[in-house]
Amino acid sequence: MTLNEFIGNALHKEHQFLIEALHDLTPEELAWQAGPEANPIGWILWHMIRVEDMWIQFFIQGRAEIWERDGWHDKFGLPARDIGFGHTPEQVAQFPRLDLPELLKYGEAVRGSTLEYLGTLGPEDHDRVPRERRPEMSLGAIFLQVAGELFQHQGHISYLKGLIRSGADQG
């Protein structure tokens, strides 16, 4: 197995886990917060897709993010340059309820682009640093960062779903 195959397989596995966790969630469950400073599932999903888009499109390739380039920010009525970093509890609480099928379509576009780009890389490319100001972030390190963050957030989503379904929100 090549490094690219390993990364691609890891991203496919994360997506399988994610779809399994999301498949039967209601809009109310997507917006539920475990506490006033907790992020709801819908926000986490939006954030994790935005992060992948930002790292792969903008940071690595220096291209406009799919979020902005394809008008997803307009479809959802959200800022073009926002990915959720530094959101206050108030911003999270006021985050709109996004249409899950549409959000997943955006995610599919991002993942498709990520895998397409990954397919262009040779073994020697993973040591390349796309931004001189971040010399610690080689392409390999970026893919590791993205995969780690995606699995982490997918775990958050599954955990929150378990809390919701166990009645933890019923006080």
Side-chain angles (χ1 to χ4, degrees), residues 4-121:
N4 286 1
E5 289 170 335
F6 179 83
I7 294 167
N9 289 343
L11 293 175
H12 286 300
K13 180 54 75 176
E14 176 275 328
H15 186 70
Q16 288 175 336
F17 290 152
L18 181 66
I19 295 304
E20 182 179 312
L22 295 171
H23 86 276
D24 61 347
L25 287 173
T26 67
E28 293 73 28
E29 290 172 326
L30 286 167
W32 180 79
Q33 289 184 266
E37 295 192 22
N39 298 326
I41 291 172
W43 186 95
I44 294 168
L45 178 61
W46 166 79
H47 167 72
M48 65 191 282
I49 299 168
R50 291 290 297 120
V51 165
E52 181 178 345
D53 193 4
M54 182 267 310
W55 276 112
I56 305 302
Q57 298 303 314
F58 177 74
F59 194 88
I60 290 178
Q61 298 181 80
R63 298 171 25 178
E65 296 166 27
I66 293 168
W67 178 252
E68 184 175 1
R69 183 191 75 208
D70 293 352
W72 288 100
H73 68 292
D74 285 334
K75 290 176 189 174
F76 290 115
L78 292 168
R81 303 292 171 135
D82 191 7
I83 61 173
F85 287 137
H87 273 193
T88 65
E90 293 78 23
Q91 287 173 298
V92 172
Q94 295 172 7
F95 193 78
R97 291 185 179 195
L98 303 180
D99 181 71
L100 182 58
E102 282 299 302
L103 189 55
L104 290 174
K105 285 180 189 175
Y106 165 55
E108 290 169 11
V110 170
R111 183 57 53 84
S113 183
T114 296
L115 294 173
E116 182 180 329
Y117 176 73
L118 178 64
T120 69
L121 299 178

Side-chain angles (χ1 to χ4, degrees), residues 123-129 138-140:
E124 68 284 352
D125 291 319
H126 290 280
D127 290 328
R128 185 168 53 83
V129 175
S138 66
L139 293 182

